[in-house]
Amino acid sequence: MSKIALVDDDRNILTSVSMTLEAEGFEVETYNDGQAALDAFNKKLPDMAVLDIKMPRMDGMDLLQRLRQKTQMPVIFLTSKDDEIDEVLGLRMGADDYVKKPFSQRLLVERIRALLRRQEAVAGDAAGTTTGETKVMERGHLRMDPLRHAVSWKGVDVSLTVTEFLLLQALAQRPGFVKSRDQLMDVAYDDQVYVDDRTIDSHIKRLRKKMRSADPDFAAIETLYGIGYRYNEE
């Protein structure tokens, strides 16, 4: 049973969403502000967090920033209906996905299940089998180990979220071949979950930033404007 942390200062949302998630078989922890959630996460992390952005004491952005210092646990943001700045900033800070308020609870459940499936895909087979999806991949200076969710560049470890890992894996599997945004969406999201081009672009920008923290000269991911992205083996 996956444990989901729901963090929102709206008690109606906490009550209704937690009831829905529990009916779907999840274990749910609720918090009405970011600081209360952080205090609990410092003791034990859930499997995933769903965070509102605007909260008292500590908002969702600040909470996400603190979480990313210690864990790549999947995170979904709840954003206001028309605030695109929050969505883009949240993704660039390391959120895996976002859902706009007011939202369908069924949609939120689908997003949670999709993200957990993606996390399982990255973790690979717990028995340690080495299929094409789980064996260690090396492309020039890049090394990816799906079973350990480990990435290194020139021997320097790079910590990636589930989404970032899947996007980099998809690009690096076939160096020199172009992946359209639609193809990358298929890799990172289930068919029934719609995301726009901006979401993929934000994840790629965040991915590049992390790789450049290991190597300021990192340039293996190339943008082909209007087409997509490709990985160039160095």
Side-chain angles (χ1 to χ4, degrees), residues 119-125 129 131-138 143-151 165-166 169 173:
Q119 184 182 35
E120 290 172 1
V122 169
D125 189 336
T129 57
T131 66
E133 295 298 320
T134 61
K135 67 181 181 181
V136 173
M137 176 173 64
E138 295 187 357
R143 188 178 192 276
M144 301 187 72
D145 184 346
L147 289 174
R148 294 174 176 79
H149 188 70
V151 177
F165 191 101
L166 288 171
Q169 185 181 48
Q173 279 175 341

mmCIF file with all atom_site columns, all heavy atoms in Angstrom, residues 119-125 129 131-138 143-151 165-166 169 173:
data_model
loop_
_atom_site.group_PDB
_atom_site.id
_atom_site.type_symbol
_atom_site.label_atom_id
_atom_site.label_alt_id
_atom_site.label_comp_id
_atom_site.label_asym_id
_atom_site.label_entity_id
_atom_site.label_seq_id
_atom_site.pdbx_PDB_ins_code
_atom_site.Cartn_x
_atom_site.Cartn_y
_atom_site.Cartn_z
_atom_site.occupancy
_atom_site.B_iso_or_equiv
_atom_site.pdbx_formal_charge
_atom_site.auth_seq_id
_atom_site.auth_comp_id
_atom_site.auth_asym_id
_atom_site.auth_atom_id
_atom_site.pdbx_PDB_model_num
ATOM 1   N N   . GLN A 1 119 ? 7.613  5.509   -11.299 1.00 0.00 ? 119 GLN A N   1
ATOM 2   C CA  . GLN A 1 119 ? 8.633  5.261   -10.280 1.00 0.00 ? 119 GLN A CA  1
ATOM 3   C C   . GLN A 1 119 ? 9.014  3.786   -10.249 1.00 0.00 ? 119 GLN A C   1
ATOM 4   O O   . GLN A 1 119 ? 10.192 3.432   -10.149 1.00 0.00 ? 119 GLN A O   1
ATOM 5   C CB  . GLN A 1 119 ? 8.113  5.705   -8.916  1.00 0.00 ? 119 GLN A CB  1
ATOM 6   C CG  . GLN A 1 119 ? 9.154  5.582   -7.805  1.00 0.00 ? 119 GLN A CG  1
ATOM 7   C CD  . GLN A 1 119 ? 8.587  5.971   -6.470  1.00 0.00 ? 119 GLN A CD  1
ATOM 8   O OE1 . GLN A 1 119 ? 7.415  5.735   -6.173  1.00 0.00 ? 119 GLN A OE1 1
ATOM 9   N NE2 . GLN A 1 119 ? 9.395  6.593   -5.641  1.00 0.00 ? 119 GLN A NE2 1
ATOM 10  N N   . GLU A 1 120 ? 8.019  2.919   -10.367 1.00 0.00 ? 120 GLU A N   1
ATOM 11  C CA  . GLU A 1 120 ? 8.295  1.477   -10.383 1.00 0.00 ? 120 GLU A CA  1
ATOM 12  C C   . GLU A 1 120 ? 9.091  1.092   -11.620 1.00 0.00 ? 120 GLU A C   1
ATOM 13  O O   . GLU A 1 120 ? 9.971  0.230   -11.564 1.00 0.00 ? 120 GLU A O   1
ATOM 14  C CB  . GLU A 1 120 ? 6.981  0.703   -10.345 1.00 0.00 ? 120 GLU A CB  1
ATOM 15  C CG  . GLU A 1 120 ? 6.259  0.805   -9.013  1.00 0.00 ? 120 GLU A CG  1
ATOM 16  C CD  . GLU A 1 120 ? 4.870  0.202   -9.062  1.00 0.00 ? 120 GLU A CD  1
ATOM 17  O OE1 . GLU A 1 120 ? 4.493  -0.309  -10.143 1.00 0.00 ? 120 GLU A OE1 1
ATOM 18  O OE2 . GLU A 1 120 ? 4.159  0.247   -8.047  1.00 0.00 ? 120 GLU A OE2 1
ATOM 19  N N   . ALA A 1 121 ? 8.790  1.733   -12.756 1.00 0.00 ? 121 ALA A N   1
ATOM 20  C CA  . ALA A 1 121 ? 9.516  1.436   -13.986 1.00 0.00 ? 121 ALA A CA  1
ATOM 21  C C   . ALA A 1 121 ? 10.987 1.804   -13.854 1.00 0.00 ? 121 ALA A C   1
ATOM 22  O O   . ALA A 1 121 ? 11.872 1.088   -14.324 1.00 0.00 ? 121 ALA A O   1
ATOM 23  C CB  . ALA A 1 121 ? 8.892  2.177   -15.161 1.00 0.00 ? 121 ALA A CB  1
ATOM 24  N N   . VAL A 1 122 ? 11.253 2.930   -13.194 1.00 0.00 ? 122 VAL A N   1
ATOM 25  C CA  . VAL A 1 122 ? 12.641 3.353   -12.993 1.00 0.00 ? 122 VAL A CA  1
ATOM 26  C C   . VAL A 1 122 ? 13.347 2.417   -12.018 1.00 0.00 ? 122 VAL A C   1
ATOM 27  O O   . VAL A 1 122 ? 14.506 2.060   -12.196 1.00 0.00 ? 122 VAL A O   1
ATOM 28  C CB  . VAL A 1 122 ? 12.678 4.809   -12.469 1.00 0.00 ? 122 VAL A CB  1
ATOM 29  C CG1 . VAL A 1 122 ? 14.081 5.170   -12.007 1.00 0.00 ? 122 VAL A CG1 1
ATOM 30  C CG2 . VAL A 1 122 ? 12.240 5.764   -13.569 1.00 0.00 ? 122 VAL A CG2 1
ATOM 31  N N   . ALA A 1 123 ? 12.622 2.005   -10.970 1.00 0.00 ? 123 ALA A N   1
ATOM 32  C CA  . ALA A 1 123 ? 13.240 1.116   -9.982  1.00 0.00 ? 123 ALA A CA  1
ATOM 33  C C   . ALA A 1 123 ? 13.594 -0.231  -10.588 1.00 0.00 ? 123 ALA A C   1
ATOM 34  O O   . ALA A 1 123 ? 14.544 -0.891  -10.171 1.00 0.00 ? 123 ALA A O   1
ATOM 35  C CB  . ALA A 1 123 ? 12.296 0.924   -8.800  1.00 0.00 ? 123 ALA A CB  1
ATOM 36  N N   . GLY A 1 124 ? 12.833 -0.639  -11.603 1.00 0.00 ? 124 GLY A N   1
ATOM 37  C CA  . GLY A 1 124 ? 13.121 -1.897  -12.276 1.00 0.00 ? 124 GLY A CA  1
ATOM 38  C C   . GLY A 1 124 ? 12.671 -3.102  -11.476 1.00 0.00 ? 124 GLY A C   1
ATOM 39  O O   . GLY A 1 124 ? 11.926 -3.002  -10.505 1.00 0.00 ? 124 GLY A O   1
ATOM 40  N N   . ASP A 1 125 ? 13.140 -4.237  -11.868 1.00 0.00 ? 125 ASP A N   1
ATOM 41  C CA  . ASP A 1 125 ? 12.759 -5.499  -11.244 1.00 0.00 ? 125 ASP A CA  1
ATOM 42  C C   . ASP A 1 125 ? 13.487 -5.676  -9.927  1.00 0.00 ? 125 ASP A C   1
ATOM 43  O O   . ASP A 1 125 ? 14.712 -5.670  -9.862  1.00 0.00 ? 125 ASP A O   1
ATOM 44  C CB  . ASP A 1 125 ? 13.144 -6.639  -12.206 1.00 0.00 ? 125 ASP A CB  1
ATOM 45  C CG  . ASP A 1 125 ? 12.598 -7.980  -11.763 1.00 0.00 ? 125 ASP A CG  1
ATOM 46  O OD1 . ASP A 1 125 ? 12.339 -8.157  -10.559 1.00 0.00 ? 125 ASP A OD1 1
ATOM 47  O OD2 . ASP A 1 125 ? 12.443 -8.845  -12.634 1.00 0.00 ? 125 ASP A OD2 1
ATOM 48  N N   . THR A 1 129 ? 16.813 -8.545  -12.326 1.00 0.00 ? 129 THR A N   1
ATOM 49  C CA  . THR A 1 129 ? 16.995 -9.007  -13.692 1.00 0.00 ? 129 THR A CA  1
ATOM 50  C C   . THR A 1 129 ? 17.528 -7.883  -14.549 1.00 0.00 ? 129 THR A C   1
ATOM 51  O O   . THR A 1 129 ? 17.300 -6.714  -14.279 1.00 0.00 ? 129 THR A O   1
ATOM 52  C CB  . THR A 1 129 ? 15.661 -9.504  -14.278 1.00 0.00 ? 129 THR A CB  1
ATOM 53  O OG1 . THR A 1 129 ? 14.704 -8.442  -14.203 1.00 0.00 ? 129 THR A OG1 1
ATOM 54  C CG2 . THR A 1 129 ? 15.160 -10.706 -13.516 1.00 0.00 ? 129 THR A CG2 1
ATOM 55  N N   . THR A 1 131 ? 16.997 -6.738  -17.936 1.00 0.00 ? 131 THR A N   1
ATOM 56  C CA  . THR A 1 131 ? 16.368 -6.581  -19.240 1.00 0.00 ? 131 THR A CA  1
ATOM 57  C C   . THR A 1 131 ? 16.895 -5.312  -19.879 1.00 0.00 ? 131 THR A C   1
ATOM 58  O O   . THR A 1 131 ? 17.671 -4.565  -19.287 1.00 0.00 ? 131 THR A O   1
ATOM 59  C CB  . THR A 1 131 ? 14.840 -6.473  -19.068 1.00 0.00 ? 131 THR A CB  1
ATOM 60  O OG1 . THR A 1 131 ? 14.556 -5.247  -18.370 1.00 0.00 ? 131 THR A OG1 1
ATOM 61  C CG2 . THR A 1 131 ? 14.303 -7.648  -18.287 1.00 0.00 ? 131 THR A CG2 1
ATOM 62  N N   . GLY A 1 132 ? 16.417 -5.029  -21.099 1.00 0.00 ? 132 GLY A N   1
ATOM 63  C CA  . GLY A 1 132 ? 16.848 -3.820  -21.778 1.00 0.00 ? 132 GLY A CA  1
ATOM 64  C C   . GLY A 1 132 ? 16.479 -2.567  -21.023 1.00 0.00 ? 132 GLY A C   1
ATOM 65  O O   . GLY A 1 132 ? 17.104 -1.524  -21.180 1.00 0.00 ? 132 GLY A O   1
ATOM 66  N N   . GLU A 1 133 ? 15.426 -2.665  -20.182 1.00 0.00 ? 133 GLU A N   1
ATOM 67  C CA  . GLU A 1 133 ? 14.980 -1.501  -19.443 1.00 0.00 ? 133 GLU A CA  1
ATOM 68  C C   . GLU A 1 133 ? 15.703 -1.342  -18.105 1.00 0.00 ? 133 GLU A C   1
ATOM 69  O O   . GLU A 1 133 ? 15.659 -0.286  -17.507 1.00 0.00 ? 133 GLU A O   1
ATOM 70  C CB  . GLU A 1 133 ? 13.467 -1.589  -19.184 1.00 0.00 ? 133 GLU A CB  1
ATOM 71  C CG  . GLU A 1 133 ? 12.629 -1.538  -20.448 1.00 0.00 ? 133 GLU A CG  1
ATOM 72  C CD  . GLU A 1 133 ? 12.791 -0.237  -21.199 1.00 0.00 ? 133 GLU A CD  1
ATOM 73  O OE1 . GLU A 1 133 ? 12.856 0.823   -20.550 1.00 0.00 ? 133 GLU A OE1 1
ATOM 74  O OE2 . GLU A 1 133 ? 12.869 -0.279  -22.440 1.00 0.00 ? 133 GLU A OE2 1
ATOM 75  N N   . THR A 1 134 ? 16.330 -2.393  -17.598 1.00 0.00 ? 134 THR A N   1
ATOM 76  C CA  . THR A 1 134 ? 16.898 -2.323  -16.258 1.00 0.00 ? 134 THR A CA  1
ATOM 77  C C   . THR A 1 134 ? 18.418 -2.429  -16.220 1.00 0.00 ? 134 THR A C   1
ATOM 78  O O   . THR A 1 134 ? 19.016 -2.137  -15.190 1.00 0.00 ? 134 THR A O   1
ATOM 79  C CB  . THR A 1 134 ? 16.313 -3.438  -15.358 1.00 0.00 ? 134 THR A CB  1
ATOM 80  O OG1 . THR A 1 134 ? 16.653 -4.705  -15.920 1.00 0.00 ? 134 THR A OG1 1
ATOM 81  C CG2 . THR A 1 134 ? 14.808 -3.307  -15.249 1.00 0.00 ? 134 THR A CG2 1
ATOM 82  N N   . LYS A 1 135 ? 19.058 -2.835  -17.271 1.00 0.00 ? 135 LYS A N   1
ATOM 83  C CA  . LYS A 1 135 ? 20.509 -2.976  -17.215 1.00 0.00 ? 135 LYS A CA  1
ATOM 84  C C   . LYS A 1 135 ? 21.193 -1.610  -17.264 1.00 0.00 ? 135 LYS A C   1
ATOM 85  O O   . LYS A 1 135 ? 20.633 -0.625  -17.741 1.00 0.00 ? 135 LYS A O   1
ATOM 86  C CB  . LYS A 1 135 ? 21.000 -3.856  -18.370 1.00 0.00 ? 135 LYS A CB  1
ATOM 87  C CG  . LYS A 1 135 ? 20.834 -3.242  -19.751 1.00 0.00 ? 135 LYS A CG  1
ATOM 88  C CD  . LYS A 1 135 ? 21.343 -4.215  -20.817 1.00 0.00 ? 135 LYS A CD  1
ATOM 89  C CE  . LYS A 1 135 ? 21.204 -3.620  -22.219 1.00 0.00 ? 135 LYS A CE  1
ATOM 90  N NZ  . LYS A 1 135 ? 21.670 -4.555  -23.247 1.00 0.00 ? 135 LYS A NZ  1
ATOM 91  N N   . VAL A 1 136 ? 22.403 -1.575  -16.760 1.00 0.00 ? 136 VAL A N   1
ATOM 92  C CA  . VAL A 1 136 ? 23.184 -0.338  -16.742 1.00 0.00 ? 136 VAL A CA  1
ATOM 93  C C   . VAL A 1 136 ? 23.457 0.119   -18.179 1.00 0.00 ? 136 VAL A C   1
ATOM 94  O O   . VAL A 1 136 ? 23.808 -0.676  -19.047 1.00 0.00 ? 136 VAL A O   1
ATOM 95  C CB  . VAL A 1 136 ? 24.513 -0.553  -15.997 1.00 0.00 ? 136 VAL A CB  1
ATOM 96  C CG1 . VAL A 1 136 ? 25.411 0.676   -16.132 1.00 0.00 ? 136 VAL A CG1 1
ATOM 97  C CG2 . VAL A 1 136 ? 24.252 -0.874  -14.529 1.00 0.00 ? 136 VAL A CG2 1
ATOM 98  N N   . MET A 1 137 ? 23.256 1.419   -18.422 1.00 0.00 ? 137 MET A N   1
ATOM 99  C CA  . MET A 1 137 ? 23.500 1.981   -19.747 1.00 0.00 ? 137 MET A CA  1
ATOM 100 C C   . MET A 1 137 ? 24.630 2.994   -19.652 1.00 0.00 ? 137 MET A C   1
ATOM 101 O O   . MET A 1 137 ? 24.641 3.848   -18.761 1.00 0.00 ? 137 MET A O   1
ATOM 102 C CB  . MET A 1 137 ? 22.230 2.674   -20.267 1.00 0.00 ? 137 MET A CB  1
ATOM 103 C CG  . MET A 1 137 ? 22.427 3.363   -21.613 1.00 0.00 ? 137 MET A CG  1
ATOM 104 S SD  . MET A 1 137 ? 20.870 4.014   -22.309 1.00 0.00 ? 137 MET A SD  1
ATOM 105 C CE  . MET A 1 137 ? 20.442 5.243   -21.092 1.00 0.00 ? 137 MET A CE  1
ATOM 106 N N   . GLU A 1 138 ? 25.574 2.892   -20.571 1.00 0.00 ? 138 GLU A N   1
ATOM 107 C CA  . GLU A 1 138 ? 26.673 3.843   -20.639 1.00 0.00 ? 138 GLU A CA  1
ATOM 108 C C   . GLU A 1 138 ? 26.708 4.464   -22.028 1.00 0.00 ? 138 GLU A C   1
ATOM 109 O O   . GLU A 1 138 ? 26.700 3.756   -23.040 1.00 0.00 ? 138 GLU A O   1
ATOM 110 C CB  . GLU A 1 138 ? 28.003 3.164   -20.319 1.00 0.00 ? 138 GLU A CB  1
ATOM 111 C CG  . GLU A 1 138 ? 28.075 2.648   -18.886 1.00 0.00 ? 138 GLU A CG  1
ATOM 112 C CD  . GLU A 1 138 ? 29.451 2.113   -18.512 1.00 0.00 ? 138 GLU A CD  1
ATOM 113 O OE1 . GLU A 1 138 ? 30.329 2.092   -19.401 1.00 0.00 ? 138 GLU A OE1 1
ATOM 114 O OE2 . GLU A 1 138 ? 29.640 1.737   -17.341 1.00 0.00 ? 138 GLU A OE2 1
ATOM 115 N N   . ARG A 1 143 ? 26.471 7.491   -17.312 1.00 0.00 ? 143 ARG A N   1
ATOM 116 C CA  . ARG A 1 143 ? 26.197 6.146   -16.814 1.00 0.00 ? 143 ARG A CA  1
ATOM 117 C C   . ARG A 1 143 ? 24.867 6.166   -16.074 1.00 0.00 ? 143 ARG A C   1
ATOM 118 O O   . ARG A 1 143 ? 24.675 6.995   -15.170 1.00 0.00 ? 143 ARG A O   1
ATOM 119 C CB  . ARG A 1 143 ? 27.309 5.667   -15.875 1.00 0.00 ? 143 ARG A CB  1
ATOM 120 C CG  . ARG A 1 143 ? 27.188 4.198   -15.458 1.00 0.00 ? 143 ARG A CG  1
ATOM 121 C CD  . ARG A 1 143 ? 28.352 3.796   -14.562 1.00 0.00 ? 143 ARG A CD  1
ATOM 122 N NE  . ARG A 1 143 ? 28.426 2.350   -14.371 1.00 0.00 ? 143 ARG A NE  1
ATOM 123 C CZ  . ARG A 1 143 ? 27.729 1.672   -13.458 1.00 0.00 ? 143 ARG A CZ  1
ATOM 124 N NH1 . ARG A 1 143 ? 26.906 2.325   -12.643 1.00 0.00 ? 143 ARG A NH1 1
ATOM 125 N NH2 . ARG A 1 143 ? 27.865 0.360   -13.347 1.00 0.00 ? 143 ARG A NH2 1
ATOM 126 N N   . MET A 1 144 ? 23.943 5.258   -16.445 1.00 0.00 ? 144 MET A N   1
ATOM 127 C CA  . MET A 1 144 ? 22.627 5.194   -15.823 1.00 0.00 ? 144 MET A CA  1
ATOM 128 C C   . MET A 1 144 ? 22.375 3.767   -15.339 1.00 0.00 ? 144 MET A C   1
ATOM 129 O O   . MET A 1 144 ? 22.514 2.815   -16.107 1.00 0.00 ? 144 MET A O   1
ATOM 130 C CB  . MET A 1 144 ? 21.527 5.613   -16.807 1.00 0.00 ? 144 MET A CB  1
ATOM 131 C CG  . MET A 1 144 ? 21.684 7.010   -17.368 1.00 0.00 ? 144 MET A CG  1
ATOM 132 S SD  . MET A 1 144 ? 20.234 7.532   -18.363 1.00 0.00 ? 144 MET A SD  1
ATOM 133 C CE  . MET A 1 144 ? 19.020 7.779   -17.041 1.00 0.00 ? 144 MET A CE  1
ATOM 134 N N   . ASP A 1 145 ? 21.982 3.645   -14.082 1.00 0.00 ? 145 ASP A N   1
ATOM 135 C CA  . ASP A 1 145 ? 21.673 2.351   -13.483 1.00 0.00 ? 145 ASP A CA  1
ATOM 136 C C   . ASP A 1 145 ? 20.225 2.390   -12.998 1.00 0.00 ? 145 ASP A C   1
ATOM 137 O O   . ASP A 1 145 ? 19.944 2.871   -11.889 1.00 0.00 ? 145 ASP A O   1
ATOM 138 C CB  . ASP A 1 145 ? 22.626 2.073   -12.323 1.00 0.00 ? 145 ASP A CB  1
ATOM 139 C CG  . ASP A 1 145 ? 22.423 0.685   -11.720 1.00 0.00 ? 145 ASP A CG  1
ATOM 140 O OD1 . ASP A 1 145 ? 21.385 0.057   -12.014 1.00 0.00 ? 145 ASP A OD1 1
ATOM 141 O OD2 . ASP A 1 145 ? 23.285 0.246   -10.945 1.00 0.00 ? 145 ASP A OD2 1
ATOM 142 N N   . PRO A 1 146 ? 19.265 1.897   -13.787 1.00 0.00 ? 146 PRO A N   1
ATOM 143 C CA  . PRO A 1 146 ? 17.845 1.961   -13.402 1.00 0.00 ? 146 PRO A CA  1
ATOM 144 C C   . PRO A 1 146 ? 17.520 1.241   -12.112 1.00 0.00 ? 146 PRO A C   1
ATOM 145 O O   . PRO A 1 146 ? 16.660 1.679   -11.360 1.00 0.00 ? 146 PRO A O   1
ATOM 146 C CB  . PRO A 1 146 ? 17.129 1.321   -14.604 1.00 0.00 ? 146 PRO A CB  1
ATOM 147 C CG  . PRO A 1 146 ? 18.077 1.496   -15.743 1.00 0.00 ? 146 PRO A CG  1
ATOM 148 C CD  . PRO A 1 146 ? 19.445 1.361   -15.137 1.00 0.00 ? 146 PRO A CD  1
ATOM 149 N N   . LEU A 1 147 ? 18.173 0.107   -11.852 1.00 0.00 ? 147 LEU A N   1
ATOM 150 C CA  . LEU A 1 147 ? 17.860 -0.647  -10.639 1.00 0.00 ? 147 LEU A CA  1
ATOM 151 C C   . LEU A 1 147 ? 18.181 0.142   -9.372  1.00 0.00 ? 147 LEU A C   1
ATOM 152 O O   . LEU A 1 147 ? 17.538 -0.033  -8.347  1.00 0.00 ? 147 LEU A O   1
ATOM 153 C CB  . LEU A 1 147 ? 18.623 -1.970  -10.634 1.00 0.00 ? 147 LEU A CB  1
ATOM 154 C CG  . LEU A 1 147 ? 18.132 -3.012  -11.643 1.00 0.00 ? 147 LEU A CG  1
ATOM 155 C CD1 . LEU A 1 147 ? 19.052 -4.211  -11.637 1.00 0.00 ? 147 LEU A CD1 1
ATOM 156 C CD2 . LEU A 1 147 ? 16.708 -3.434  -11.336 1.00 0.00 ? 147 LEU A CD2 1
ATOM 157 N N   . ARG A 1 148 ? 19.164 1.017   -9.466  1.00 0.00 ? 148 ARG A N   1
ATOM 158 C CA  . ARG A 1 148 ? 19.545 1.824   -8.310  1.00 0.00 ? 148 ARG A CA  1
ATOM 159 C C   . ARG A 1 148 ? 19.106 3.276   -8.451  1.00 0.00 ? 148 ARG A C   1
ATOM 160 O O   . ARG A 1 148 ? 19.406 4.101   -7.600  1.00 0.00 ? 148 ARG A O   1
ATOM 161 C CB  . ARG A 1 148 ? 21.065 1.761   -8.101  1.00 0.00 ? 148 ARG A CB  1
ATOM 162 C CG  . ARG A 1 148 ? 21.548 0.374   -7.712  1.00 0.00 ? 148 ARG A CG  1
ATOM 163 C CD  . ARG A 1 148 ? 23.063 0.311   -7.654  1.00 0.00 ? 148 ARG A CD  1
ATOM 164 N NE  . ARG A 1 148 ? 23.519 -0.996  -7.197  1.00 0.00 ? 148 ARG A NE  1
ATOM 165 C CZ  . ARG A 1 148 ? 23.585 -2.084  -7.957  1.00 0.00 ? 148 ARG A CZ  1
ATOM 166 N NH1 . ARG A 1 148 ? 23.228 -2.018  -9.235  1.00 0.00 ? 148 ARG A NH1 1
ATOM 167 N NH2 . ARG A 1 148 ? 23.990 -3.231  -7.475  1.00 0.00 ? 148 ARG A NH2 1
ATOM 168 N N   . HIS A 1 149 ? 18.420 3.591   -9.535  1.00 0.00 ? 149 HIS A N   1
ATOM 169 C CA  . HIS A 1 149 ? 18.022 4.967   -9.837  1.00 0.00 ? 149 HIS A CA  1
ATOM 170 C C   . HIS A 1 149 ? 19.245 5.880   -9.695  1.00 0.00 ? 149 HIS A C   1
ATOM 171 O O   . HIS A 1 149 ? 19.209 6.943   -9.072  1.00 0.00 ? 149 HIS A O   1
ATOM 172 C CB  . HIS A 1 149 ? 16.900 5.430   -8.910  1.00 0.00 ? 149 HIS A CB  1
ATOM 173 C CG  . HIS A 1 149 ? 16.315 6.761   -9.300  1.00 0.00 ? 149 HIS A CG  1
ATOM 174 N ND1 . HIS A 1 149 ? 15.544 6.928   -10.427 1.00 0.00 ? 149 HIS A ND1 1
ATOM 175 C CD2 . HIS A 1 149 ? 16.397 7.975   -8.737  1.00 0.00 ? 149 HIS A CD2 1
ATOM 176 C CE1 . HIS A 1 149 ? 15.181 8.194   -10.528 1.00 0.00 ? 149 HIS A CE1 1
ATOM 177 N NE2 . HIS A 1 149 ? 15.693 8.851   -9.506  1.00 0.00 ? 149 HIS A NE2 1
ATOM 178 N N   . ALA A 1 150 ? 20.352 5.441   -10.289 1.00 0.00 ? 150 ALA A N   1
ATOM 179 C CA  . ALA A 1 150 ? 21.620 6.157   -10.155 1.00 0.00 ? 150 ALA A CA  1
ATOM 180 C C   . ALA A 1 150 ? 22.079 6.693   -11.505 1.00 0.00 ? 150 ALA A C   1
ATOM 181 O O   . ALA A 1 150 ? 22.022 5.991   -12.518 1.00 0.00 ? 150 ALA A O   1
ATOM 182 C CB  . ALA A 1 150 ? 22.688 5.242   -9.569  1.00 0.00 ? 150 ALA A CB  1
ATOM 183 N N   . VAL A 1 151 ? 22.533 7.940   -11.514 1.00 0.00 ? 151 VAL A N   1
ATOM 184 C CA  . VAL A 1 151 ? 23.049 8.586   -12.718 1.00 0.00 ? 151 VAL A CA  1
ATOM 185 C C   . VAL A 1 151 ? 24.367 9.254   -12.381 1.00 0.00 ? 151 VAL A C   1
ATOM 186 O O   . VAL A 1 151 ? 24.507 9.884   -11.322 1.00 0.00 ? 151 VAL A O   1
ATOM 187 C CB  . VAL A 1 151 ? 22.068 9.653   -13.256 1.00 0.00 ? 151 VAL A CB  1
ATOM 188 C CG1 . VAL A 1 151 ? 22.658 10.369  -14.474 1.00 0.00 ? 151 VAL A CG1 1
ATOM 189 C CG2 . VAL A 1 151 ? 20.732 9.032   -13.610 1.00 0.00 ? 151 VAL A CG2 1
ATOM 190 N N   . PHE A 1 165 ? 14.739 11.213  -14.886 1.00 0.00 ? 165 PHE A N   1
ATOM 191 C CA  . PHE A 1 165 ? 15.449 9.973   -15.200 1.00 0.00 ? 165 PHE A CA  1
ATOM 192 C C   . PHE A 1 165 ? 14.877 9.338   -16.463 1.00 0.00 ? 165 PHE A C   1
ATOM 193 O O   . PHE A 1 165 ? 15.619 8.942   -17.375 1.00 0.00 ? 165 PHE A O   1
ATOM 194 C CB  . PHE A 1 165 ? 15.356 9.009   -14.025 1.00 0.00 ? 165 PHE A CB  1
ATOM 195 C CG  . PHE A 1 165 ? 16.259 7.808   -14.131 1.00 0.00 ? 165 PHE A CG  1
ATOM 196 C CD1 . PHE A 1 165 ? 17.451 7.760   -13.438 1.00 0.00 ? 165 PHE A CD1 1
ATOM 197 C CD2 . PHE A 1 165 ? 15.916 6.727   -14.937 1.00 0.00 ? 165 PHE A CD2 1
ATOM 198 C CE1 . PHE A 1 165 ? 18.289 6.655   -13.531 1.00 0.00 ? 165 PHE A CE1 1
ATOM 199 C CE2 . PHE A 1 165 ? 16.744 5.618   -15.041 1.00 0.00 ? 165 PHE A CE2 1
ATOM 200 C CZ  . PHE A 1 165 ? 17.941 5.584   -14.338 1.00 0.00 ? 165 PHE A CZ  1
ATOM 201 N N   . LEU A 1 166 ? 13.550 9.235   -16.541 1.00 0.00 ? 166 LEU A N   1
ATOM 202 C CA  . LEU A 1 166 ? 12.921 8.600   -17.698 1.00 0.00 ? 166 LEU A CA  1
ATOM 203 C C   . LEU A 1 166 ? 13.176 9.378   -18.982 1.00 0.00 ? 166 LEU A C   1
ATOM 204 O O   . LEU A 1 166 ? 13.399 8.781   -20.044 1.00 0.00 ? 166 LEU A O   1
ATOM 205 C CB  . LEU A 1 166 ? 11.414 8.463   -17.461 1.00 0.00 ? 166 LEU A CB  1
ATOM 206 C CG  . LEU A 1 166 ? 11.003 7.406   -16.429 1.00 0.00 ? 166 LEU A CG  1
ATOM 207 C CD1 . LEU A 1 166 ? 9.517  7.519   -16.127 1.00 0.00 ? 166 LEU A CD1 1
ATOM 208 C CD2 . LEU A 1 166 ? 11.349 6.005   -16.904 1.00 0.00 ? 166 LEU A CD2 1
ATOM 209 N N   . GLN A 1 169 ? 16.849 8.820   -19.973 1.00 0.00 ? 169 GLN A N   1
ATOM 210 C CA  . GLN A 1 169 ? 16.993 7.444   -20.452 1.00 0.00 ? 169 GLN A CA  1
ATOM 211 C C   . GLN A 1 169 ? 16.463 7.305   -21.883 1.00 0.00 ? 169 GLN A C   1
ATOM 212 O O   . GLN A 1 169 ? 17.100 6.682   -22.747 1.00 0.00 ? 169 GLN A O   1
ATOM 213 C CB  . GLN A 1 169 ? 16.263 6.497   -19.517 1.00 0.00 ? 169 GLN A CB  1
ATOM 214 C CG  . GLN A 1 169 ? 16.427 5.015   -19.839 1.00 0.00 ? 169 GLN A CG  1
ATOM 215 C CD  . GLN A 1 169 ? 15.644 4.144   -18.876 1.00 0.00 ? 169 GLN A CD  1
ATOM 216 O OE1 . GLN A 1 169 ? 14.465 4.395   -18.619 1.00 0.00 ? 169 GLN A OE1 1
ATOM 217 N NE2 . GLN A 1 169 ? 16.299 3.139   -18.319 1.00 0.00 ? 169 GLN A NE2 1
ATOM 218 N N   . GLN A 1 173 ? 19.126 6.430   -24.979 1.00 0.00 ? 173 GLN A N   1
ATOM 219 C CA  . GLN A 1 173 ? 19.073 5.077   -25.523 1.00 0.00 ? 173 GLN A CA  1
ATOM 220 C C   . GLN A 1 173 ? 19.463 5.040   -26.995 1.00 0.00 ? 173 GLN A C   1
ATOM 221 O O   . GLN A 1 173 ? 20.050 4.068   -27.469 1.00 0.00 ? 173 GLN A O   1
ATOM 222 C CB  . GLN A 1 173 ? 17.672 4.487   -25.325 1.00 0.00 ? 173 GLN A CB  1
ATOM 223 C CG  . GLN A 1 173 ? 17.443 3.935   -23.934 1.00 0.00 ? 173 GLN A CG  1
ATOM 224 C CD  . GLN A 1 173 ? 16.015 3.462   -23.721 1.00 0.00 ? 173 GLN A CD  1
ATOM 225 O OE1 . GLN A 1 173 ? 15.108 3.836   -24.461 1.00 0.00 ? 173 GLN A OE1 1
ATOM 226 N NE2 . GLN A 1 173 ? 15.807 2.639   -22.704 1.00 0.00 ? 173 GLN A NE2 1
#
